[in-house]
Amino acid sequence: MKFSAALTLVALTGANAFAPAAKAPVTTQLAMSEYRTSVRDNVDVGTGGPLAGAMGGRDLAEIWDNSSPVIVQGGSLRTWSFANPAIESVQVLLKTEGRPLDADVELWQGPDNTPHKMRVYVEDGALRTFNAVIGTPRGPNTVAIRNIGQLEFPLDAVVRPDRDDGLAAGIASVATRSETIQGGALRTYPFNPTVDSVAIILKTDGRPLNARIELLQGPNNNKQVVELYTEDGLDRPFFAIVETPGSGNVVRVVNTAPVEFPLYASVDAYRVGGGGDWADDGLMIGRAF
C-alpha cells in the first residue's frame, strides 16, 4: 500500500515538472502612457527628473553661445544629416540680425518622404528667435532649411541633437496643461507683460497634425507665424518656445485639419521676467476663448 502511494506521488511530481509555468503580467510602455511620444517620454521629465521644479529649463542664449551657427543666405538651402538612429529629436533654432525671417524647414527620411515640414515667418529675427524641437525617430534623418527670403535677408541656423536634459525636457516640464482643439477650431492664450517666452507642445493620438501657430501683438498684427505639418503627431510631436517681449502678446493655435483630426495643445509660460511678482504662471484669466 505504501509502495503504491509512493508511485502515485512520483507520477504527480513528474507531470507537474512538464507543466508550463504561469506567465508574469507584462506591462507595456503603451499601457503606461495614453499618448506616448518618442521625444517627451525619452527625457526624464516630472517628479524627480533633472528639471523638476526648474522653471524655464535650458537657456536659449546658452544654446547659441555653445553652438556654431551656419549662415543660410537668401534663396539658398542647407541640410544637416543624422545617421545615428539613437538621435530621436533635434533642436532647430533660427535667427537674423534684426531683419525678417522667412524659411521652410523640412525633415527628410528616405527618398521623397517628408514626414515633417514647417513654414516659419518672424517679423524681427533678432528680437524673436525661432526655437523648436522636432522628432527624428528611426534614423537616418536629414533636416533641410531653405531661406525663402531675399538675398539681402540671410539667417543663422543651429541644428543639433536634443539631449535627454535639453530643450524638449525644459518645454515639457512647464507645459503640463493640455486641451483638445478640434479640427477647424482655434484657441487663444493671452499672456502678461512679465512673460518673456512661452512653451508650446502640439501632438495628436497618431493622426496627422496640421496647425498654425501665431504670435499677435495688437489686432491682426502677426509677429511670428508657423504653419506646421506632421505625418504622425504621436510619433513626431512639435515642441517650440515663442519669445514674447513687450506687452499685449497673444498666442493663437489654429487646427487647420478637418474635424476628424483633433490635436492636443499645451501652452504655458516658459520664462517669466522680473517685471513684477505674479501669483500665477503669467497666463491671464480667460486664456482660451
Side-chain angles (χ1 to χ4, degrees):
M1 188 69 177
K2 293 183 180 179
F3 180 74
S4 300
L7 288 178
T8 304
L9 180 61
V10 170
L12 291 176
T13 305
N16 292 333
F18 293 98
K23 293 184 178 179
V26 179
T27 302
T28 63
Q29 293 177 334
L30 184 60
M32 296 168 58
S33 176
E34 183 179 4
Y35 301 114
R36 176 173 176 80
T37 64
S38 59
V39 176
R40 180 172 179 176
D41 288 356
N42 283 337
V43 293
D44 191 11
V45 177
T47 305
L51 297 175
M55 172 70 75
R58 176 163 296 222
D59 189 15
L60 296 175
E62 178 186 350
I63 297 178
W64 284 103
D65 293 339
N66 296 334
S67 304
S68 299
V70 175
I71 299 177
V72 183
Q73 299 293 340
S76 63
L77 171 70
R78 296 298 299 267
T79 60
W80 289 258
S81 296
F82 301 94
N84 188 354
I87 299 176
E88 296 194 346
S89 60
V90 297
Q91 303 172 359
V92 179
L93 288 79
L94 307 176
K95 72 175 183 178
T96 66
E97 296 179 351
R99 301 182 177 98
L101 189 155
D102 200 357
D104 281 335
V105 181
E106 296 182 348
L107 174 66
W108 298 344
Q109 191 177 50
D112 299 327
N113 183 22
T114 308
H116 189 119
K117 57 184 177 182
M118 295 179 287
R119 171 72 181 271
V120 180
Y121 167 78
V122 184
E123 183 184 68
D124 187 337
L127 186 62
R128 301 175 183 87
T129 61
F130 174 76
N131 318 282
V133 178
I134 59 178
T136 57
R138 298 178 301 277
N141 295 275
T142 299
V143 176
I145 298 178
R146 183 184 299 275
N147 187 349
I148 58 178
Q150 301 295 325
L151 183 62
E152 298 82 7
F153 302 108
L155 62 86
D156 295 335
V158 170
V159 180
R160 68 176 195 175
D162 188 50
R163 303 183 305 183
D164 289 347
D165 59 346
L167 205 57
I171 296 173
S173 66
V174 297
T176 57
R177 296 178 292 185
S178 178
E179 64 176 320
T180 302
I181 303 179
Q182 299 294 340
L186 63 88
R187 293 290 186 275
T188 56
Y189 305 84
F191 286 90
N192 288 320
T194 55
V195 176
D196 293 334
S197 58
V198 175
I200 300 175
I201 302 177
L202 300 182
K203 59 183 179 181
T204 68
D205 56 0
R207 307 177 203 185
L209 171 62
N210 287 272
R212 185 172 68 252
I213 303 171
E214 301 175 353
L215 173 63
L216 297 93
Q217 198 172 39
N220 297 322
N221 185 13
N222 288 327
K223 298 297 183 181
Q224 182 170 337
V225 179
V226 179
E227 295 180 355
L228 171 67
Y229 164 77
T230 300
E231 182 181 66
D232 187 337
L234 178 64
D235 204 24
R236 295 181 174 87
F238 178 70
F239 295 74
I241 297 175
V242 176
E243 295 181 301
T244 57
S247 60
N249 291 290
V250 176
V251 174
R252 179 163 62 188
V253 179
V254 183
N255 187 348
T256 58
V259 70
E260 298 86 3
F261 299 94
L263 65 84
Y264 308 101
S266 300
V267 181
D268 277 293
Y270 182 77
R271 187 170 298 278
V272 180
D277 294 329
W278 294 81
D280 58 4
D281 62 355
L283 198 60
M284 297 176 62
I285 297 176
R287 63 187 183 91
F289 51 88

